Amino acid sequence: MASLLSSLSDLPRRLAVFLDRPGFPWKKLVIGFSIGQYVFESLLSLRQYQVLKHTKPPKALQDEVTQEVFDKSQAYGRAKAKFGFVSNLYSLITNIGIYQFDLLPKLWTLTGTWLAQYAPERFSGEISHSIVFFFTFSFMSQLLSLPTSYYSTFVLEEKFGFNKQTPGLFFTDLLKSQALMVAFGTPILAGFLKIIQSTGTQFFYYLWLFAIVVQVFGITIFPIFIQPLFNKLSPLEPGELRSRVEALATRLKFPLTDLFTIDGSKRSAHSNAYFYGLPWKKHIVIYDTLMEKSEPQEIEAVLGHELGHWLLSHTTKLLGIAQLHLFYVFSLFSIFIHNNSLYDSFGFHNQRPIMIGFILFSEALAPMDTVIRFLMNILSRKFEFEADKFALDLGYKKELARSLIKLQVENLSTMDADWLYASYHYSHPILTERLKALNYQSAGGKVASADVKLNGNGEVVRATDREL
């Protein structure tokens, strides 16, 4: 037994030695996977593009949406798909260029020179160097992504009537985001590096605890300091909607502290509603665009769905999975942190900065993260069906179905999807599947069932059932 425990305790060291092979082509593997992922996702997008060329709505929606709305939704979907092909290719070429031409080691050397020339001597250590490098690299990445971000907002979204931003607001938001990243990122990054430097080979455990504290801190300060910088939250005025929401919260014993409306129309015509907060203190936020386009009972149904996530512990489960994922990532990083072959492959021959190691490790971990994201989408869609069922059991069948259709129409969301594309990308089931699961009666008196396959028991064959 003692020998077994000794063997297990020595496993991380042996695995680290096994993975640190001189001359191992980590860079080629990372670039190769990036290209393979782009090709695979582009093929999925091509499949979806064929669906976006359909000229008739799914039968389940033919009594719910006009031909004009469907045509516009399809056009919007095709426009986003075309933009996705180009923007993803641009990102791929940018990332390959950064790694192929060893821009990371060059930028690390450059930021080190800046510190040596312009900063006081007390800022000459690895932590200060890493902070300067990180923010310089983030600023460069922001500049590189600016053309696609600007086009998406002021051309694509503008064309379909969703953009409400001005260029001034766009760039103001950008500057605020950068300022917040520096203000909060500096102490967080310094703490991250200091923990690794100070706690030895078991740093991943302390790093995980630190990450949990940072998350709780973020949840606490977000509504107080961060969100007001971008949007105005106003208490929901007394009236039918407020009465309905408060009654629903009381009925479900939801710890509602504040009920807000948010000026989402300041930036976009898209609609939404959500809740956030600590377990004993929750806040509900409703977009002004949703209030303009939906009846109070429909918004109540949407919130019934959202509170279903809470009562069914979906948010708790997802938070728990996120913490396990963090622990898994930090644990694996402890194996890679001294991997000389990884550093050498990306041009770091004489220095082994912790920050660089984590960036390179994250790139090497990308294939596994893709699998995890795929599995999380499966789980997310399962939770969405469960939350819909919860709202159905509360008596909101018609209201929830109508609100889902309205949100689909108002946001010009894709009304149909290729099953493989949806299985890989979507965190929510497609609308026809949700209407079928609700057993929704269309305006024409027909059960919404078109383009939704049934199994031998007459149940919906959902994307989640087709994936595994």
Side-chain angles (χ1 to χ4, degrees), residues 218-236:
I219 292 172
T220 304
I221 68 166
F222 176 77
I224 301 172
F225 298 108
I226 298 177
Q227 192 165 48
L229 294 174
F230 299 92
N231 291 99
K232 181 181 179 181
L233 291 176
S234 304
L236 181 62

Side-chain angles (χ1 to χ4, degrees), residues 67-124:
Q67 185 65 44
E68 180 183 4
V69 167
F70 178 74
D71 290 343
K72 192 172 182 180
S73 170
Q74 292 289 84
Y76 182 48
R78 291 193 299 271
K80 289 193 296 182
K82 291 176 182 177
F83 173 72
F85 286 124
V86 176
S87 61
N88 291 339
L89 179 60
Y90 173 72
S91 297
L92 175 68
I93 293 172
T94 300
N95 290 336
I96 290 176
I98 288 172
Y99 293 126
Q100 188 62 36
F101 297 106
D102 289 336
L103 295 186
L104 288 183
K106 292 174 182 177
L107 183 60
W108 178 262
T109 300
L110 178 63
T111 51
T113 301
W114 290 348
L115 278 176
Q117 291 181 347
Y118 304 112
E121 187 176 349
R122 66 178 181 275
F123 294 115
S124 60

Side-chain angles (χ1 to χ4, degrees), residues 188-196 207 210 330 333 354 358:
I188 291 172
L189 185 55
F192 174 89
L193 296 172
K194 190 65 177 178
I195 288 171
I196 295 176
L207 203 59
F210 175 69
F330 292 151
F333 181 49
I354 295 171
F358 190 73

Side-chain angles (χ1 to χ4, degrees), residues 44-161:
L44 291 182
S45 295
L46 285 172
R47 288 174 60 101
Q48 175 64 9
Y49 196 83
Q50 299 308 308
V51 175
L52 294 170
K53 291 164 68 175
H54 292 172
T55 58
K56 295 292 183 182
K59 291 181 182 178
L61 299 177
Q62 286 180 0
D63 292 329
E64 305 296 341
V65 301
T66 65
Q67 185 65 44
E68 180 183 4
V69 167
F70 178 74
D71 290 343
K72 192 172 182 180
S73 170
Q74 292 289 84
Y76 182 48
R78 291 193 299 271
K80 289 193 296 182
K82 291 176 182 177
F83 173 72
F85 286 124
V86 176
S87 61
N88 291 339
L89 179 60
Y90 173 72
S91 297
L92 175 68
I93 293 172
T94 300
N95 290 336
I96 290 176
I98 288 172
Y99 293 126
Q100 188 62 36
F101 297 106
D102 289 336
L103 295 186
L104 288 183
K106 292 174 182 177
L107 183 60
W108 178 262
T109 300
L110 178 63
T111 51
T113 301
W114 290 348
L115 278 176
Q117 291 181 347
Y118 304 112
E121 187 176 349
R122 66 178 181 275
F123 294 115
S124 60
E126 182 183 344
I127 291 179
S128 298
H129 190 174
S130 297
I131 290 172
V132 173
F133 168 85
F134 176 77
F135 290 130
T136 303
F137 182 67
S138 297
F139 179 70
M140 291 175 56
S141 299
Q142 187 72 64
L143 285 179
L144 288 171
S145 66
L146 189 57
T148 54
S149 178
Y150 192 90
Y151 180 90
S152 174
T153 301
F154 293 103
V155 178
L156 188 112
E157 294 292 299
E158 185 84 27
K159 178 181 179 181
F160 290 90

Side-chain angles (χ1 to χ4, degrees), residues 263-309:
D263 59 342
S265 58
K266 180 179 179 181
R267 290 175 175 80
S268 174
H270 291 295
S271 305
N272 201 2
Y274 62 93
F275 71 87
Y276 65 93
L278 298 170
W280 57 88
K281 185 179 181 181
K282 298 292 187 181
H283 316 269
I284 290 178
V285 178
I286 305 172
Y287 275 54
D288 55 355
T289 48
L290 181 62
M291 293 175 61
E292 291 171 4
K293 300 168 183 176
S294 301
E295 299 296 327
Q297 60 269 31
E298 293 171 347
I299 299 175
E300 181 186 1
V302 170
L303 292 174
H305 166 95
E306 294 299 329
L307 297 191
H309 285 305

Side-chain angles (χ1 to χ4, degrees), residues 314-366:
H314 293 164
T315 50
T316 302
K317 291 173 184 176
L318 291 175
L319 183 62
I321 292 172
Q323 306 319 307
L324 290 175
H325 180 250
L326 270 180
F327 189 79
Y328 141 80
V329 168
F330 292 151
S331 299
L332 279 182
F333 181 49
S334 69
I335 295 173
F336 276 85
I337 190 170
H338 299 301
N339 191 308
N340 292 321
S341 63
L342 181 63
Y343 284 100
D344 288 338
S345 184
F346 285 88
F348 289 87
H349 303 294
N350 301 315
Q351 294 178 295
R352 304 288 187 264
I354 295 171
M355 169 57 60
I356 297 298
F358 190 73
I359 292 173
L360 300 181
F361 160 74
S362 299
E363 292 292 344
L365 198 63

